[in-house]
Amino acid sequence: MSDSMIAALVYTDGVYPDEAIGHAIEPLRERGVPLAGAIQRDPADRPGRHPCDLLLENLASGDVTAIAEHRGKEARGCRLDVGILTDIAEAVVTSLHEGEPRLLIVNKFGKIEADGGGLREAISDAVYLGIPVLVGFPKRNLDRWRA
């Protein structure tokens, strides 16, 4: 176990850091730096997309997965598929222990992480392993993040 650094990107509701995080890690990806974690991808190129078409990329494997429940095009509001997020979180944790990532990126410390699920275990494991962490989180979760 070694010292670990955590950088937090705090944002207000409706201002997501996905693009900023993507730009920040692009040079690392171009140089082949091994990364772990997950970032949201914009499905803008998907025909007939719905605002709830949320995609998450596993940075270790490159797999991109839809993480919202499919509730039909008339649905109001988005609902995260917690089972899919749990699967991605488990894959991220595995990549921390099996690979040699130089950085863990979590695009959002959301309600599920604030409640103890999602990618929270990955953040904890990265800290324990001495892997630096970059995490975005909404200002409304600041108290829970500090806890």
Side-chain angles (χ1 to χ4, degrees):
M1 178 169 77
S2 64
D3 293 335
S4 185
M5 297 184 338
I6 299 177
L9 231 61
V10 182
Y11 60 92
T12 59
D13 288 340
V15 180
Y16 301 104
D18 305 332
E19 192 173 326
I21 291 173
H23 287 308
I25 67 171
E26 194 57 37
L28 299 173
R29 294 178 94 174
E30 289 172 358
R31 288 186 296 216
V33 174
L35 303 173
I39 60 173
Q40 192 166 318
R41 289 292 178 200
D42 182 11
D45 60 344
R46 293 175 67 186
R49 78 179 278 270
H50 185 276
C52 291
D53 289 343
L54 306 174
L55 303 177
L56 205 58
E57 178 184 354
N58 178 330
L59 293 171
S61 68
D63 295 340
V64 177
T65 307
I67 61 169
E69 290 181 8
H70 296 286
R71 299 172 54 215
K73 65 181 181 177
E74 300 299 321
R76 296 203 193 289
C78 305
R79 190 174 297 151
L80 186 65
D81 187 318
V82 178
I84 291 174
L85 180 60
T86 299
D87 291 345
I88 293 169
E90 289 173 2
V92 169
V93 168
T94 298
S95 73
L96 289 171
H97 294 276
E98 292 181 354
E100 294 185 19
R102 303 276 309 275
L103 177 66
L104 170 70
I105 298 103
V106 176
N107 76 301
K108 182 178 182 185
F109 184 87
K111 181 181 181 325
I112 292 177
E113 286 76 18
D115 289 341
L119 291 161
R120 188 168 178 160
E121 181 181 352
I123 295 168
S124 174
D125 283 10
V127 168
Y128 177 79
L129 296 168
I131 299 168
V133 177
L134 171 62
V135 60
F137 68 93
K139 192 174 183 176
R140 70 180 176 270
N141 288 340
L142 184 58
D143 291 338
R144 296 185 78 190
W145 163 257
R146 287 179 175 156

